[in-house]
Amino acid sequence: MKKSLDTDLNKILKGGFNKKTEKCNFIRLFLAAAAASALLAACSSSGSPANSSSQAAQGAASGGAAVTEKDGYKYVSPQDAIDAAKKSDVHVIDVRDWKEYSKGRLQNSLWNPIFPLEDESLTQSLKKYAQDNLNDGKDIYIICNSGQRGAQKATGVFKDAGIDESKIFTVEGGAKALSGIKDAFTTSRIDEGIDWKYTDGKDVLELKDAQIVDVRDPQTYADGHLEGSLNASLKEFDDTAAQTAFYEFSKSKLDPQKPVYLLCYSGNKCAKTGISILKDAGFNTDNVFIIKDGAKDKDISAAFVK
């Protein structure tokens, strides 16, 4: 094609520019030749149109979640965070304060607050938590109030803790975006991915000075309970106020270094909720036990006092 255009140009040049039409033809051929040369140069250098090399490939996090980048931070979508929280290959960390977190949270998310941001003790606590629990090569998805200040500070804390920066992502829009997705947030804790640990009532009764928490309602507790046990009701197990009261109770009344035994009506929902809250309060769930069958256990009920 290039050779043909050169031949035509030579013919016109040799013939002069006596006619207006010949001048027009020369201009047309000159422009065509220039365009063809540019196209050939682009194809010969890359084997494909030049602009294809300028298209950046979109990144991906664990599980194929699409990633966008802005101002040095990497973002995943709220839906990808919901999907990730159902699995065990991603750490979904909620850094909001308890007041906001307790109103609704992603099931299986991990709570470690960074708010208020000026509280340096929270910064140090989050850093230690990251060093002890998050430096395992898994991706980390951060949930804050809106996907801005809290997540940005948490990102810095994780980096200071030695976490690979390529593993740290912010959930775009934060809790505000997640709360707009139906059933994304919940106050129920009974289906958490926790390794629930059970113990027989007779074994608990043989322990001295055991740390026993009765999570039944106050009236039922008053009608009969284990001597020395403490009462912190979780009868309304998915109620925000009840969970907050239990959280505050655990921080002020329980020793996280000693085993905790939870006694509920039947050894199910209320006790599981208690363990999930204790996990948020910093207790090791390997050291927290549900008394099997709860108050229905014959050995337990026989030992009740008023």
Side-chain angles (χ1 to χ4, degrees):
M1 178 177 67
K2 186 175 184 298
K3 183 177 180 180
S4 176
L5 290 169
D6 290 341
T7 300
D8 290 340
L9 283 171
N10 288 332
K11 288 180 179 180
I12 293 174
L13 288 170
K14 290 178 181 179
F17 303 116
N18 296 325
K19 295 182 180 180
K20 184 176 180 180
T21 55
E22 288 180 334
K23 291 182 181 181
C24 293
N25 287 337
F26 172 80
I27 294 172
R28 292 192 188 98
L29 287 169
F30 179 83
L31 293 175
S37 296
L39 180 61
L40 287 170
C43 291
S44 63
S45 63
S46 64
S48 59
N51 63 357
S52 65
S53 62
S54 66
Q55 296 176 352
Q58 188 173 23
S62 292
V67 176
T68 57
E69 294 191 33
K70 181 180 179 181
D71 299 329
Y73 297 94
K74 298 191 296 297
Y75 295 85
V76 294
S77 72
Q79 186 59 55
D80 282 333
I82 294 170
D83 296 338
K86 297 176 183 178
K87 306 174 185 177
S88 59
D89 58 346
V90 174
H91 297 297
V92 180
I93 310 295
D94 197 317
V95 298
R96 295 175 294 159
D97 64 20
W98 176 268
K99 181 180 178 181
E100 296 302 322
Y101 170 77
S102 63
K103 293 176 183 178
R105 53 191 282 281
L106 281 189
Q107 184 175 297
N108 289 321
S109 60
L110 305 171
W111 181 65
N112 210 294
I114 197 67
F115 288 93
L117 296 178
E118 62 273 11
D119 189 337
E120 184 60 25
S121 67
L122 294 178
T123 299
Q124 295 306 315
S125 176
L126 182 61
K127 181 178 180 179
K128 186 177 187 308
Y129 180 83
Q131 292 171 332
D132 293 345
N133 301 281
L134 305 182
N135 204 358
D136 55 4
K138 294 182 180 180
D139 284 349
I140 300 171
Y141 292 0
I142 304 170
I143 299 173
C144 69
N145 295 308
S146 62
Q148 295 295 324
R149 295 188 305 148
Q152 290 170 3
K153 182 164 185 177
T155 296
V157 172
F158 291 154
K159 288 165 62 177
D160 289 344
I163 304 296
D164 183 350
E165 185 177 1
S166 68
K167 298 294 182 180
I168 306 171
F169 304 87
T170 295
V171 178
E172 190 168 15
K176 289 182 179 179
L178 286 164
S179 63
I181 300 175
K182 183 179 180 182
D183 299 328
F185 275 167
T186 182
T187 56
S188 176
R189 295 170 176 263
I190 60 175
D191 295 316
E192 296 288 292
I194 295 174
D195 182 16
W196 312 110
K197 298 188 179 303
Y198 296 83
T199 187
D200 290 330
K202 62 181 180 180
D203 294 332
V204 176
L205 294 175
E206 294 176 359
L207 299 174
K208 292 183 179 180
D209 300 322
Q211 200 168 210
I212 301 172
V213 181
D214 193 321
V215 296
R216 297 175 300 160
D217 65 275
Q219 184 58 57
T220 302
Y221 175 82
D223 290 340
H225 57 270
L226 293 179
E227 188 173 2
S229 64
L230 302 174
N231 182 225
S233 177
L234 282 173
K235 180 180 181 180
E236 305 298 331
F237 59 89
D238 57 355
D239 178 68
T240 298
Q243 292 185 13
T244 297
F246 189 86
Y247 173 78
E248 293 173 347
F249 161 85
S250 70
K251 298 293 284 186
S252 62
K253 301 294 185 181
L254 300 180
D255 183 351
Q257 302 305 316
K258 295 174 57 178
V260 179
Y261 300 90
L262 297 178
L263 175 65
C264 70
Y265 301 95
S266 62
N268 194 9
K269 295 179 179 179
C270 301
K272 286 181 175 179
T273 299
I275 290 180
S276 177
I277 297 171
L278 288 175
K279 181 180 180 181
D280 285 340
F283 288 68
N284 184 345
T285 57
D286 288 337
N287 211 27
V288 182
F289 304 88
I290 298 172
I291 298 177
K292 188 177 180 181
D293 296 326
K296 292 182 179 180
D297 179 271
K298 293 181 179 180
D299 293 315
I300 291 293
S301 60
F304 278 168
V305 297
K306 293 186 178 181

